């Protein structure tokens, strides 16, 4: 591993890392390239192990040394900079001390993803990037094979989502689905039971739906929930039994409970 | 309901709401009174419905009107202020438009809490206030009767915790426990099975521990997890089956999965 020192914040070699708080608001920036940004040792490590083509790594010397094994075979430049130079480049103080940027990988093929999956999450209107990231973390932990991104969702590769997912969004396959909600009919034709998670009192308790076969769990945004059209296009509305005084769980938390409850019996 | 207009940010009647971002860092301020602060219509509503003695409400006119039914029987002043005056008083822009402050209620009696409970959460080293708040929200939703606060935990009534809990921390009884970990032995003597949640591979999968009788779920912080002493003082170490590549779930999320999995059969 060769490490290049960067002492001048204006150094053009670290342009990929410049003004992240601005590019954070527009994840398809700069120049429409939509860079994937990993922060911190744990997430950088997951990016390096992923299919995403890493463009560069920038960190303080200590963090780069911590990642030496992971960086050994990297075919991209590694830049070491003092913390204050990094802060000036990035535009804010980073307490994680290391960043990596990658290009977006070739999108996952929807048919391929669906044909090999036993458990899918299907999202409608999950716009909050922290919820999205947490949902991917939970999906990875609890054996979900892929995530289908319906209308109104945020970008799973947005910086905040990547961070909250602990980098697991870089490992769980995902793909957009359309048209909506007709795609749910298509999923059912592929052999999936589509279960719409809702707090509605007349929905079937999770424990009563059975865990056989292929399941797709349909999840909506925390406030308005799933649209009536999406629920109608599902096989069954299901619910987590909850105290009457509590309206709902956070969507990523509800997803975790459901992923657990619906995991294949052999897993 | 009588509403008092406040047009001067220096008005001493709204001193309880002053410089919240500073008092946020020190929840026992100002003057050691340890005020409980609720933000937003939903959380203020839960504070008004709780046992906490409300001292005052401050909001923009529209939010106060939204809360008119809840405020009808309140025996404390309600102040209406323009958004910019509120921002100056509070010290930052509030996008939720309404706040309420209360004194801490009389602490819950530990013996009373434990004697009537079927499900308890017991926390060790959960210092992160967002995790703490999320944990209370999940406990409220999933039928946990009380939370015992062991060593190294944050303050459940800290402003950020109250907010993330969606105000449910004001409804779920909690109490500190000590000495540690001897208190776990005391809980077992009270008839609780104490289950220590850990990612350790040799722990018993949640689905195999049984849901009979009284259960206390012992939860540690996300990074280091439970201390060996706490695990040794529990009846059984239990785990959520997880993908090998994923180290752990967020502690509040793991708690939600376990609360669900261990809920009494009749609930």
């Amino acid at each position: 591993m060769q490490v290049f020192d960067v002492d001048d914040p204006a150094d053009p070699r670290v342009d990929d890392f410049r003004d992240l708080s601005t590019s954070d608001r527009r994840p398809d920036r700069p120049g429409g390239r939509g860079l994937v940004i990993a922060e911190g040792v744990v997430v950088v490590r997951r990016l390096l192990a992923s299919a995403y083509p890493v463009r560069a790594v920038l960190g303080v010397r200590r963090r780069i040394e911590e990642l030496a094994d992971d960086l050994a075979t990297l075919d991209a430049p590694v830049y070491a900079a003092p913390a204050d130079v990094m802060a000036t480049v990035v535009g804010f103080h980073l307490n994680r001390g290391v960043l990596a940027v990658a290009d977006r990988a070739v999108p996952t093929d929807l048919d391929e993803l669906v044909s090999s999956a036993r458990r899918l999450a299907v999202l409608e209107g999950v716009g909050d990037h922290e919820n999205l990231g947490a949902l991917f973390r939970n999906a990875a932990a609890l054996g979900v094979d892929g995530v289908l991104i319906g209308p109104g969702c945020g970008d799973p590769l947005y910086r905040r989502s990547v961070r909250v997912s602990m980098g697991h969004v870089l490992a769980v396959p995902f793909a957009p689905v359309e048209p909506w909600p007709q795609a749910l009919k298509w999923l059912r034709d592929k052999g999936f039971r589509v279960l719409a998670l809702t707090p509605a009192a007349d929905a079937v308790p999770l424990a009563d739906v059975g865990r056989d076969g292929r399941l797709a769990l349909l999840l909506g945004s925390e406030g308005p929930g799933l649209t009536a059209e999406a629920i109608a296009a599902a096989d069954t509305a299901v619910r987590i039994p909850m105290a009457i005084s509590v309206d709902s769980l956070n969507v990523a938390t509800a997803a975790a409970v459901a992923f657990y409850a619906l995991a294949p019996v052999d897993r």
Side-chain angles (χ1 to χ4, degrees), chain A:
Chain A
M1 172 182 65
Q2 196 184 350
V3 179
F4 303 96
D5 281 304
V6 170
D7 295 312
D8 176 6
D11 192 324
R13 293 177 299 173
V14 294
D15 277 353
D16 276 353
F17 299 94
R18 207 166 294 287
D19 298 328
L20 290 188
S21 64
T22 304
S23 60
D24 193 26
R25 262 176 261 135
R26 291 270 307 273
D28 51 348
R29 282 188 183 178
R33 288 177 298 171
L35 296 179
V36 179
I37 299 161
E39 300 163 85
V41 167
V42 170
V43 180
V44 167
R45 189 171 278 146
R46 294 207 169 110
L47 180 63
L48 291 166
S50 77
Y52 292 79
V54 174
R55 296 164 60 92
V57 175
L58 169 66
V60 297
R61 182 65 67 170
R62 192 167 136 233
R63 295 290 168 236
I64 287 171
E65 279 161 13
E66 213 176 323
L67 285 162
D69 289 349
D70 309 270
L71 294 169
T73 59
L74 176 67
D75 187 23
V78 176
Y79 301 107
D84 61 331
V85 171
M86 263 188 88
T88 307
V89 171
V90 169
F92 52 88
H93 178 71
L94 272 170
N95 52 18
R96 289 184 179 77
V98 64
L99 292 163
V101 292
D103 287 310
R104 297 200 170 213
V106 176
T108 300
D109 182 75
L110 179 64
D111 284 297
E112 206 172 303
L113 194 171
V114 166
S115 68
S116 63
R118 284 203 293 173
R119 291 293 180 273
L120 291 172
V122 188
L123 313 185
E124 183 194 50
V126 180
D128 182 282
H129 288 102
E130 295 199 12
N131 283 342
L132 208 49
L135 206 147
F136 271 89
R137 180 181 180 187
N138 299 344
L142 297 165
V144 173
D145 305 302
V147 179
L148 308 191
I149 311 287
C153 292
D155 173 13
L157 296 177
Y158 193 78
R159 184 168 65 95
R160 191 143 27 104
S161 168
V162 173
R163 185 176 65 219
V164 174
S165 84
M166 302 287 283
H168 291 298
V169 70
L170 306 169
V172 177
F174 65 89
V177 272
E178 54 176 12
W180 192 263
Q182 292 84 342
L184 298 175
K185 167 77 167 65
W186 170 80
L187 262 185
R188 294 166 67 183
D189 291 342
K190 293 273 185 186
F192 281 86
R193 256 193 307 155
V194 177
L195 306 176
L197 192 64
T198 151
D202 60 352
V204 179
L206 264 185
D208 298 345
V209 291
R211 295 155 62 173
D212 299 334
R214 310 174 83 192
L215 299 179
L217 183 69
L218 180 57
L219 298 154
S221 74
E222 198 166 328
L226 290 166
T227 60
E229 294 72 28
I231 294 177
D235 287 280
T236 311
V238 300
R239 67 181 171 87
I240 298 169
M242 265 188 264
I244 300 163
S245 61
V246 181
D247 19 28
S248 72
L249 292 166
N250 166 281
V251 61
T253 305
V257 169
F259 295 155
Y260 171 82
L262 299 171
V265 179
D266 60 4
R267 191 138 63 180

